[in-house]
Amino acid sequence: MESEETSAVDKTALQILASSVGQILGEHSKIHQFVKLAAERPTGINVDRAKRTFDSLPVYQRKRVAETAEGQAHKHKTSMTMSGILGRLGGDAKPRATPRTVTPPPGPGVKIMTPPTVGRPKDGAAAPAKKKSVKEVVWK
């Protein structure tokens, strides 16, 4: 018996093929209907029927379908790769806002003490470069 990963790849391939056949031959063609059925329910009978009807097409039509399917497969692979990369980088698509606290300004004659921070530039020195978020790096 085939593994789930193999059958998922076959199902995706059949869906891409069905879409390509529909674009080239039309959504109501017999061949499109058979390939679409094989993609939805990939039983041995459905896949065999789709294969036989697709193989009966003239060579020039099979080549046009193959070119269309190849383009769609490339787009599918690219989108899957990008979603995998984004999933590994951060998981969240939207950055979370951090709550801010607002303190009222002090009255006259009150000296404000600021705690020293590590990495604060000395007078006249340039400020450190701002780190870019994952979203800025990936989408630019």
Side-chain angles (χ1 to χ4, degrees):
M1 179 167 245
E2 295 181 49
S3 68
E4 288 183 25
E5 183 178 325
T6 305
S7 64
V9 170
D10 292 344
K11 191 171 185 174
T12 301
L14 285 170
Q15 289 170 341
I16 290 171
L17 180 63
S19 174
S20 300
V21 169
Q23 286 180 0
I24 301 300
L25 303 177
E27 298 283 325
H28 299 291
S29 72
K30 175 178 70 169
I31 297 169
H32 171 71
Q33 296 300 320
F34 286 147
V35 176
K36 184 178 175 185
L37 180 65
E40 291 172 354
R41 288 180 262 154
T43 64
I45 293 171
N46 291 342
V47 172
D48 185 52
R49 184 185 308 151
K51 182 182 181 330
R52 283 186 286 118
T53 55
F54 182 78
D55 288 345
S56 70
L57 283 174
V59 173
Y60 75 94
Q61 284 184 328
R62 283 185 283 169
K63 284 185 178 180
R64 287 182 58 203
V65 170
E67 290 168 356
T68 304
E70 188 176 328
Q72 287 183 6
H74 181 70
K75 287 180 186 176
H76 178 76
K77 181 180 177 185
T78 303
S79 69
M80 294 302 293
T81 302
M82 183 57 73
S83 66
I85 290 169
L86 291 176
R88 286 190 303 264
L89 286 177
D92 289 346
K94 297 178 183 177
R96 296 182 185 165
T98 56
R100 295 185 177 188
T101 56
V102 179
T103 56
V110 176
K111 184 175 180 183
I112 300 174
M113 301 286 290
T114 56
T117 59
V118 176
R120 177 180 283 181
K122 301 199 186 253
D123 292 334
K130 178 188 166 202
K131 287 188 176 182
K132 292 185 177 181
S133 70
V134 170
K135 198 173 192 179
E136 291 173 326
V137 172
V138 171
W139 295 110
K140 285 193 177 182

